[in-house]
Amino acid sequence: TSVHNTTFGLLALPYDNVVRLCCLSVCVLSVCVSMCDVCVVACPLQDTGLYYDRYLREVIEVLETDPHFREKLQTANTEDIKNGRLSKELDLVGHHVRTRLDELKRQEVSRLRMLLKAKLDSLQMDHASLLKQFEHLDPHNQNTFEAKDLELLISTATKDLENYDAERHDEFKRYEMLKEHERREYLKGLDQEKREKEEKRMEELKDKHRKHPKVNAPGSVAQLREVWEETDGLDPTEFNPKTFFKLHDANGDGVLDEQELEALFAKELEKVYDPKNEEDDMMEMEEERLRMREHVMKNVDINQDRLVSLEEFLKSTDKKEFNNPKEWDTLDDTKPVFTEAELQRFEAELQTKEEELGKRAESLRQEQDLLKERGKALEAQRREYQQAVLEMSQRKEKQAVEGQPPTGPNGELQFHQEMQKLEDQGKRDRQDKKGGDGVSWGHFCFCLL
């Protein structure tokens, strides 16, 4: 699986499971391609791995229900599909087909909006403008499915899948450079004696890996006969190319797609790679598989539609290379996939990234320390507030107790002596008032207070 950057993170494109999205097969139909005609056959649609896979497959399923469009597809050639002429036939499909396509597009736009909203709401960005970055539909018309939408869907799928092999090779190169970088760094950390010992061990593993049986050239008579005998269990003297083709056309669609071709190389790869062996790298095995498939496609796929028809297969058996091929050179027999200059640039890139990550880590550490200090300060404030609330509560309770008259043993109120004195003084004042020479009632009340 090759990983591609997309708006939502990673995009996986398992191209080996899909060969019906390039040229004539870009419409995700099983297509029988020959030198003279194109025959569309019914076949369950396979998952392309594209992030718009469901939309793509549903559009094609709907288009297949229209007899006019299906007829045009049967008579179309590669250029008609790739240059958009077939897309113009969309104007002639039935009303119910257009209605269903409109509905599918609205659903796809709604799905993309939902994903964008979930990811980008915090950035306060315009979701409508962000839809423009999706190339498989027309973002300016978000309600109806038009000829331009079909043209964009075909061209985008074709472009995404055509870039797949190149990206896989690039990924493998980066993998090999990283492996070499880690090997050198590991050796640097050893003393001289251990380093020499480890270098010797690594060289022995390389030599052990190189000692393998002869690998037949992919697509050669020797390689196919070996599959015929060991996989199919048939007599090698009765090898028949046409029968071989039909045996390995697993889905019976009349062509060998890239997945079916790669299945033919299993025996050759087993000669060189064993997952149980320390010296055998399974990533290298996948790169070897890709090289074999590209080799066969280059020599057999005449019209370059990434499918091998029976006619193309039979023509390849008439070539000189089929009967007298050169021995296949594995990755170990070819020049390194990277140069020393490329490795140095890669290591410089790694160093830059490590420094950036280091700075980021230091920044995060400082932020963490700052948050810890703020947390301590907040905890101290919380304790101060709790203490203040406690003291206030205690003060209120004390005031409530002091302001209430005491009670006797039987619960009766007991007055303070001062209150009794005030009462006695009040009596005397009233008596004095009767005598005509006392304080005023207001004064008495003031005294009581």
Side-chain angles (χ1 to χ4, degrees):
T1 299
S2 180
V3 179
H4 305 257
N5 291 326
T6 67
T7 306
F8 311 116
L10 301 177
L11 165 62
L13 292 175
Y15 187 77
D16 301 83
N17 296 327
V18 180
V19 293
R20 298 175 175 84
L21 284 177
C22 291
C23 302
L24 285 177
S25 55
V26 72
C27 294
V28 202
L29 296 170
S30 292
V31 183
C32 298
V33 182
S34 68
M35 295 300 291
C36 302
D37 62 348
V38 179
C39 174
V40 181
V41 294
C43 178
L45 301 183
Q46 302 182 40
D47 188 347
T48 66
L50 297 166
Y51 69 93
Y52 48 90
D53 171 78
R54 181 175 177 178
Y55 173 66
L56 174 64
R57 289 184 292 117
E58 288 180 342
V59 166
I60 299 309
E61 287 172 353
V62 171
L63 287 172
E64 280 190 277
T65 64
D66 185 84
H68 172 78
F69 192 88
R70 188 178 183 87
E71 180 183 355
K72 289 295 181 181
L73 180 61
Q74 290 176 349
T75 58
N77 57 35
T78 303
E79 289 305 315
D80 288 337
I81 293 179
K82 296 184 73 173
N83 63 22
R85 280 198 290 271
L86 183 65
S87 302
K88 294 179 173 58
E89 298 297 329
L90 187 67
D91 295 332
L92 302 177
V93 301
H95 176 71
H96 68 286
V97 174
R98 291 299 295 269
T99 302
R100 179 57 181 148
L101 290 173
D102 292 346
E103 182 182 348
L104 288 176
K105 181 174 181 180
R106 287 193 291 269
Q107 290 175 356
E108 177 69 0
V109 170
S110 177
R111 182 184 74 88
L112 296 176
R113 280 176 173 168
M114 180 183 66
L115 292 173
L116 287 170
K117 180 175 176 59
K119 192 173 184 67
L120 303 172
D121 258 355
S122 59
L123 302 178
Q124 299 297 314
M125 298 181 71
D126 180 11
H127 298 157
S129 64
L130 287 172
L131 282 173
K132 296 178 182 178
Q133 63 191 295
F134 298 104
E135 300 177 346
H136 65 288
L137 49 72
D138 180 9
H140 301 292
N141 173 16
Q142 300 177 16
N143 297 310
T144 60
F145 189 97
E146 305 296 339
K148 184 176 182 181
D149 290 294
L150 181 57
E151 183 179 348
L152 288 171
L153 188 58
I154 292 173
S155 61
T156 303
T158 303
K159 180 183 67 175
D160 286 344
L161 295 172
E162 283 179 345
N163 294 334
Y164 173 70
D165 286 348
E167 292 179 1
R168 275 186 62 177
H169 286 306
D170 187 60
E171 279 185 9
F172 178 72
K173 177 189 283 190
R174 293 182 66 83
Y175 168 77
E176 288 290 289
M177 288 192 292
L178 179 60
K179 189 168 70 172
E180 177 61 17
H181 168 73
E182 291 178 345
R183 186 190 72 83
R184 295 183 182 186
E185 290 298 310
Y186 168 67
L187 293 175
K188 283 181 183 179
L190 303 177
D191 58 42
Q192 184 174 355
E193 182 179 354
K194 290 183 178 179
R195 182 166 56 252
E196 291 176 353
K197 183 177 179 181
E198 191 64 15
E199 286 176 343
K200 182 180 179 181
R201 186 186 73 85
M202 290 179 176
E203 196 59 38
E204 289 174 351
L205 288 176
K206 285 184 179 181
D207 291 339
K208 183 179 178 182
H209 173 69
R210 293 190 186 100
K211 294 177 181 178
H212 54 73
K214 174 186 175 183
V215 178
N216 296 310
S220 66
V221 64
Q223 189 258 318
L224 298 184
R225 281 181 186 275
E226 193 172 82
V227 175
W228 174 275
E229 179 180 7
E230 298 185 15
T231 302
D232 302 331
L234 300 175
D235 187 345
T237 60
E238 297 179 359
F239 174 74
N240 181 282
K242 186 174 182 179
T243 303
F244 181 92
F245 182 93
K246 292 184 179 296
L247 280 173
H248 294 277
D249 178 15
N251 58 5
D253 61 359
V255 292
L256 295 181
D257 60 36
E258 297 186 352
Q259 184 182 22
E260 291 167 333
L261 279 176
E262 290 189 358
L264 302 177
F265 310 142
K267 286 294 180 182
E268 302 305 317
L269 293 170
E270 288 173 1
K271 297 175 181 178
V272 186
Y273 300 96
D274 185 341
K276 298 178 183 179
N277 295 337
E278 181 184 0
E279 67 273 12
D280 298 337
D281 189 331
M282 294 301 102
M283 285 289 290
E284 292 182 1
M285 184 185 74
E286 291 307 315
E287 176 70 7
E288 197 76 72
R289 192 194 307 274
L290 175 58
R291 291 178 65 240
M292 289 180 172
R293 189 242 294 164
E294 289 177 330
H295 173 79
V296 172
M297 282 297 187
K298 181 179 178 181
N299 294 319
V300 181
D301 183 20
I302 299 172
N303 61 1
Q304 298 182 350
D305 64 352
R306 293 178 179 261
L307 298 166
V308 176
S309 67
L310 176 59
E311 184 172 351
E312 289 174 327
F313 183 77
L314 294 178
K315 281 189 175 183
S316 71
T317 62
D318 295 331
K319 295 181 179 180
K320 179 182 177 181
E321 295 81 5
F322 179 75
N323 294 296
N324 299 294
K326 296 180 180 178
E327 184 175 346
W328 178 254
D329 290 332
T330 64
L331 286 169
D332 296 313
D333 303 320
T334 59
K335 63 181 180 181
V337 295
F338 59 87
T339 64
E340 186 65 28
E342 288 175 325
L343 178 61
Q344 291 177 1
R345 288 194 295 270
F346 178 76
E347 290 180 326
E349 179 184 335
L350 284 181
Q351 181 65 29
T352 301
K353 289 183 177 179
E354 287 177 1
E355 291 174 356
E356 291 176 354
L357 289 173
K359 291 178 181 178
R360 180 58 179 161
E362 178 62 23
S363 175
L364 291 173
R365 188 190 63 78
Q366 293 176 358
E367 290 179 8
Q368 184 181 27
D369 292 342
L370 181 60
L371 288 174
K372 286 182 179 179
E373 292 299 323
R374 289 180 178 175
K376 291 179 181 178
L378 289 173
E379 179 64 20
Q381 287 183 353
R382 186 182 66 82
R383 291 178 181 175
E384 289 178 3
Y385 291 151
Q386 287 180 339
Q387 184 64 28
V389 169
L390 179 62
E391 292 176 356
M392 185 179 296
S393 176
Q394 292 174 346
R395 191 178 301 115
K396 286 182 178 180
E397 291 177 358
K398 183 176 180 182
Q399 290 175 351
V401 172
E402 290 178 351
Q404 182 178 353
T407 59
N410 298 321
E412 70 277 9
L413 293 176
Q414 290 185 346
F415 293 94
H416 292 288
Q417 295 181 357
E418 289 77 4
M419 296 296 294
Q420 186 64 41
K421 290 180 181 179
L422 287 173
E423 186 178 354
D424 295 341
Q425 181 64 38
K427 291 180 179 179
R428 286 195 296 273
D429 289 343
R430 286 195 295 274
Q431 291 174 356
D432 292 341
K433 187 175 183 181
K434 291 180 179 179
D437 186 25
V439 297
S440 67
W441 179 252
H443 178 68
F444 171 69
C445 290
F446 176 78
C447 292
L448 283 176
L449 292 173

